[in-house]
Amino acid sequence: MTATLNTEDLLAALAEIAPGSALAQARATRQAATDAIQASYLALFAPADVGDFPLAQRLLIAQRISEWQAEQPLAAHYAALLQRQGGAPAGPRWQAALDHAERLAFKPASADAQHLQALRQAGWSLDDIVTLSQLIAFVSFQSRLLTGYRLLGDKPVEVTGTPVRAGAWRTAPATLSGRHAPPAFTRQELGWEPWIAAKPLAAFDEPGQALLTRFGHSDSDYFRLLARNHPVLEQRTLADRAIFYTPGGLERKDRELAATVASKVNGCIYCASVHARKAAQLSKQTEEVQRLLEVAPGGVLSEGQGERWRAQIDFAAALSATPPQANAQHLAALREQGLDELALLDLVQSTAFFAWANRLMLTLGEPFDD
């Protein structure tokens, strides 16, 4: 049995975005991102089966992730779809998936190669591990989008008000393969190696090869790993480009800053290295970017920053927390700095996207610097 999915715009419905509102107009301006986000949802939940990963399992994991993010309307949506499937999964294979989901939701930087081996031992194929990881990471992204959309639409959000600080990160001196691992956040260019095999390009079917070639990813271990589910990878890549590479709205340097902040909260050295380097290049504020990277675990991420970046960093950090802690006060501070509705939407989407990106980079492999 397949799920009856909202094929129009699920997030607009759940966030109660009023047609013609400033937020609706901003999302229409970013229609390519809106479409790719919806298409990612459909790629993950429309098929009855993806490998040996039945729909009921996918829906229950999505429900749990939504609950852990305190995103009750989204959890209710997935619960309703699950009820139509006629039952919840059980057994050791399911428990291994749930353990993986909880780790990715709350402490993705604590993941290591042994956790993927546990999934393998429980009967998960390499293709299904990639789909499972994509699903968990996507719903983490989806949850934060809803929090941000509700704030922009002046809808109430539930937050505790707990200050959000820099997260911990892995400091092991070597990778699984023995390469030197970076012990701290850096703007240096890093490599990344997967913990499970990335298929060679020749092993993909024609659509998979075409996708990797189209986006220039045929030589990347990371993207050839994610291409084990290439319909999801395609929509994720389109969402990434539509969120980060569009004109107007929030300046590109500030979108890169948001990605760096989310990576600091989640403890992702690799993602932070890429986006901090871009933020520094585009903003010419190298000292400020480096100050952000050097914040120790438990430190205040916006300390020592100018007012505009302080407001953006505080918001991005709060939205990246689990569950999200962004609130109306954060939004008011951003508006005081002159951010209009389109810029605010860009900040929400570029921050939320790294709830997705970090959870893949941190839990499917690790960076190296040799």
Side-chain angles (χ1 to χ4, degrees):
M1 182 187 299
T2 59
T4 303
L5 301 182
N6 185 326
T7 58
E8 298 299 321
D9 189 343
L10 172 66
L11 296 185
L14 293 180
E16 302 175 73
I17 298 174
S21 65
L23 175 55
Q25 293 174 28
R27 290 183 80 236
T29 301
R30 295 289 183 251
Q31 191 64 47
T34 299
D35 291 345
I37 292 164
Q38 176 71 10
S40 297
Y41 161 70
L42 295 175
L44 282 162
F45 297 104
D49 292 297
V50 179
D52 189 24
F53 193 1
L55 182 56
Q57 288 189 1
R58 280 176 276 144
L59 291 170
L60 184 52
I61 288 171
Q63 179 188 340
R64 293 288 180 86
I65 294 293
S66 305
E67 290 169 347
W68 290 333
Q69 307 298 337
E71 187 47 65
Q72 297 309 321
L74 188 61
H77 167 75
Y78 285 120
L81 293 177
L82 177 62
Q83 188 173 18
R84 297 174 200 163
Q85 297 301 304
R93 186 178 188 274
W94 162 248
Q95 188 58 52
L98 194 60
D99 291 345
H100 189 61
E102 187 170 9
R103 185 178 304 110
L104 266 67
F106 290 103
K107 294 183 178 180
S110 70
D112 61 35
Q114 292 181 354
H115 296 130
L116 298 188
Q117 184 59 32
L119 286 170
R120 294 285 285 141
Q121 290 171 350
W124 285 82
S125 70
L126 298 183
D127 289 0
D128 288 344
I129 288 173
V130 169
T131 300
L132 171 64
S133 300
Q134 283 275 30
L135 187 156
I136 298 163
F138 171 76
V139 178
S140 299
F141 162 67
Q142 199 181 34
S143 299
R144 285 164 178 80
L145 286 177
L146 279 171
T147 296
Y149 293 168
R150 283 206 194 87
L151 285 170
L152 292 178
D154 295 322
K155 300 291 191 303
V157 296
E158 295 183 13
V159 296
T160 65
T162 305
V164 177
R165 300 175 182 272
W169 59 85
R170 289 195 292 263
T171 56
T175 69
L176 181 66
S177 70
R179 286 184 164 119
H180 186 266
F185 282 80
T186 177
R187 286 182 288 116
Q188 175 185 344
E189 289 193 35
L190 302 174
W192 184 90
E193 61 181 32
W195 289 329
I196 57 178
K199 286 165 63 172
L201 184 64
F204 286 97
D205 59 16
E206 187 174 338
Q209 291 186 29
L211 172 69
L212 287 163
T213 302
R214 169 187 167 196
F215 290 123
H217 295 327
S218 57
D219 293 330
S220 166
D221 282 345
Y222 177 63
F223 287 104
R224 283 188 289 105
L225 175 60
L226 295 185
R228 286 180 174 276
N229 185 326
H230 51 76
V232 174
L233 173 60
E234 178 178 19
Q235 297 307 324
R236 181 190 177 280
T237 304
L238 292 172
D240 182 1
R241 296 187 175 191
I243 288 169
F244 281 92
Y245 298 92
T246 45
L250 191 69
E251 291 186 61
R252 172 77 184 282
K253 64 182 175 64
D254 295 327
R255 302 186 209 191
E256 299 294 345
L257 176 70
T260 307
V261 173
S263 300
K264 281 289 292 184
V265 172
N266 291 320
C268 189
I269 288 176
Y270 182 87
C271 289
S273 73
V274 173
H275 298 280
R277 190 163 60 250
K278 290 180 181 177
Q281 290 168 351
L282 293 168
S283 69
K284 312 302 182 187
Q285 295 177 247
T286 303
E287 290 184 7
E288 289 86 344
V289 172
Q290 188 61 32
R291 185 176 298 123
L292 171 63
L293 290 180
E294 291 175 355
V295 175
V300 178
L301 287 160
S302 62
E303 186 173 357
Q305 303 289 345
E307 286 188 16
R308 185 178 177 86
W309 269 18
R310 186 183 308 127
Q312 292 181 40
I313 290 169
D314 286 342
F315 176 82
L319 191 62
S320 299
T322 303
Q325 298 298 314
N327 59 37
Q329 288 70 39
H330 290 120
L331 202 60
L334 291 165
R335 286 188 165 126
E336 286 177 7
Q337 295 303 315
L339 274 69
D340 63 14
E341 205 73 10
L342 183 58
L344 291 169
L345 176 66
D346 288 337
L347 180 57
V348 166
Q349 297 194 153
S350 54
T351 301
F353 187 81
F354 273 78
W356 190 351
N358 292 159
R359 281 170 172 78
L360 295 177
M361 300 297 304
L362 283 166
T363 61
L364 292 172
E366 59 189 322
F368 61 87
D369 61 6
D370 60 1

